[in-house]
Amino acid sequence: MTFHLLPGGFYIFTEKKTMRKSISFLGILLMSILMAKAQDQLPARWDELVASDWPKALEKSSHTCILPIGILEKHGPHAPIGSDLIHVREWAARVTKKEYAVVFPDYFYGQINEARHQPGTFALPERVVWDLLEATCDEIARNGFNKILIINGHGGNPQLIRYFIQTRLEKRRDYAVYFFDPTTTDSAFNEKLAKLRKSDPSGDQHAGERETSTLLYLRPDLVKMDSAKNESGANQQRLSIPNVYTAIWWYADFPNHYAGEGVKATRELGQLITEHTIDLLAKALKAVKEDTKTLQLQKEFFDRVKTQ
Ligand SMILES: [Zn+2]
């Protein structure tokens, strides 16, 4: 029988009859090391945490929960129905590796009436959308979070989200809702973006070059580039009333629920945009975690509202 010293001081037996036992011993050892490592790491996703780690997660996140909101809707002829959800899911997963927060599981209940003529669209009644968002935030807060950071992947949601946040002042709440709403003045990024982008930025919207590129970076396995040319993503301009907003404007312009040229997408452009977005999100998340002013001002405001 011979012994070999393995890194870390473990011995392996090379005699045949003890080989099987030694291998299973090593297997158990490896498993224990991996399990110990897993126990050290606190998952970010709400659904992956164990209940006994909840206090640790609250403390590590500074009581901050990310609520990633996507939607289920057609994305041209080539990109997945859950494109917007995939974006926010991936941003949340990646940003919390840099800056810890708890991430609420997939949420895809937003405003998407304009795509109801297309397959795969999941559009709930308006009151359900509203009540669900409100109840979700209340439940997140009941579980100990006093800061909720909404990240959104769907172009039809910001008006809903802003109005929802404005109405948080309607009655006293002991938590605050924040909306990650990035704009960038980073000239180096804008220069690189202009260089890589091949289509006209003004027409590059839904499932166009930009969005298809970020999907090629995040989930290339789900994009059917060969189909991107099968429909037109051009603005069909079927309705024009100057300076007036209507419900049907999007359908009038983009009845295929496709706006832009997905066919021009590249992984390289997707990487640039995604990594930049994640950097901005990491900064925003850090600032939200450190923020005490919002809740303090909110309390001061409610103390002055006399009808409560
Ligand atoms: Zn989208």
Side-chain angles (χ1 to χ4, degrees):
M1 189 192 292
T2 50
F3 297 97
H4 300 281
L5 185 62
L6 292 175
F10 301 115
Y11 290 94
I12 183 165
F13 304 92
T14 53
E15 191 178 314
K16 266 185 190 166
K17 59 181 176 184
T18 55
M19 188 70 105
R20 190 173 292 173
K21 268 190 184 167
S22 307
I23 288 171
S24 65
F25 164 75
L26 276 176
I28 291 165
L29 191 68
L30 192 64
M31 186 77 89
S32 321
I33 292 168
L34 288 173
M35 279 169 72
K37 211 175 169 214
Q39 273 168 13
D40 276 356
Q41 284 169 351
L42 196 61
R45 278 186 66 111
W46 180 302
D47 51 325
E48 292 179 4
L49 280 161
V50 296
S52 55
D53 275 340
W54 208 256
K56 209 195 284 180
L58 285 175
E59 200 200 324
K60 197 173 173 191
S61 67
S62 305
H63 299 254
T64 305
C65 182
I66 294 175
L67 175 58
I69 305 185
I71 208 82
L72 300 178
E73 60 169 336
K74 178 183 173 187
H75 270 76
H78 61 290
I81 300 280
S83 290
D84 300 350
L85 181 64
I86 290 164
H87 279 99
V88 287
R89 182 197 287 150
E90 292 291 332
W91 294 350
R94 289 160 195 241
V95 80
T96 48
K97 288 201 170 79
K98 297 180 179 207
E99 187 70 48
Y100 186 82
V102 171
V103 178
F104 192 79
D106 292 358
Y107 191 99
F108 48 85
Y109 320 104
Q111 192 297 117
I112 188 54
N113 285 292
E114 66 275 22
R116 285 174 60 216
H117 62 302
Q118 296 287 0
T121 301
F122 188 77
L124 293 172
E126 59 185 299
R127 282 180 199 278
V128 177
V129 168
W130 187 265
D131 290 347
L132 197 56
L133 186 53
E134 184 154 74
T136 300
C137 288
D138 285 349
E139 268 304 271
I140 290 172
R142 191 182 64 77
N143 277 287
F145 298 96
N146 57 14
K147 298 172 198 179
I148 299 171
L149 175 59
I150 292 178
I151 61 174
N152 170 54
H154 171 48
N157 272 346
Q159 284 147 308
L160 162 73
I161 294 168
R162 282 204 187 84
Y163 183 51
F164 177 75
I165 290 180
Q166 285 176 313
T167 58
R168 296 313 84 194
L169 296 182
E170 187 193 14
K171 65 170 195 185
R172 185 186 288 273
R173 285 183 171 86
D174 54 4
Y175 67 90
V177 185
Y178 305 73
F179 179 29
F180 174 60
D181 191 16
T183 48
T184 187
T185 47
D186 182 336
S187 52
F189 166 75
N190 285 331
E191 253 172 55
K192 276 189 214 160
L193 181 70
K195 223 181 238 175
L196 285 176
R197 205 177 213 175
K198 295 182 218 104
S199 60
D200 175 7
S202 67
D204 183 17
Q205 299 179 59
H206 185 72
E209 182 190 1
R210 185 188 170 106
E211 192 172 20
T212 306
S213 294
T214 48
L215 285 161
L216 284 180
Y217 178 56
L218 295 169
R219 288 298 304 271
D221 54 315
L222 301 176
V223 184
K224 296 193 162 187
M225 284 303 281
D226 292 348
S227 308
K229 261 189 176 162
N230 292 355
E231 286 174 2
S232 168
N235 187 335
Q236 298 190 18
Q237 298 178 323
R238 297 186 299 167
L239 181 70
S240 173
I241 309 172
N243 302 319
V244 170
Y245 184 80
T246 64
I248 206 69
W249 76 271
W250 173 263
Y251 177 77
D253 286 349
F254 307 104
N256 294 330
H257 219 62
Y258 183 21
E261 297 176 85
V263 74
K264 293 187 173 166
T266 60
R267 187 185 181 279
E268 199 184 359
L269 177 66
Q271 179 170 8
L272 175 77
I273 295 167
T274 303
E275 292 305 329
H276 185 65
T277 306
I278 291 169
D279 279 351
L280 294 174
L281 179 55
K283 284 185 189 125
L285 177 57
K286 187 171 187 291
V288 167
K289 283 174 71 178
E290 288 168 359
D291 175 42
T292 53
K293 203 84 187 170
T294 301
L295 281 165
Q296 187 190 316
L297 288 169
Q298 208 169 283
K299 186 182 176 304
E300 179 191 303
F301 171 81
F302 287 124
D303 287 345
R304 292 181 67 183
V305 176
K306 295 200 167 54
T307 52
Q308 292 180 79

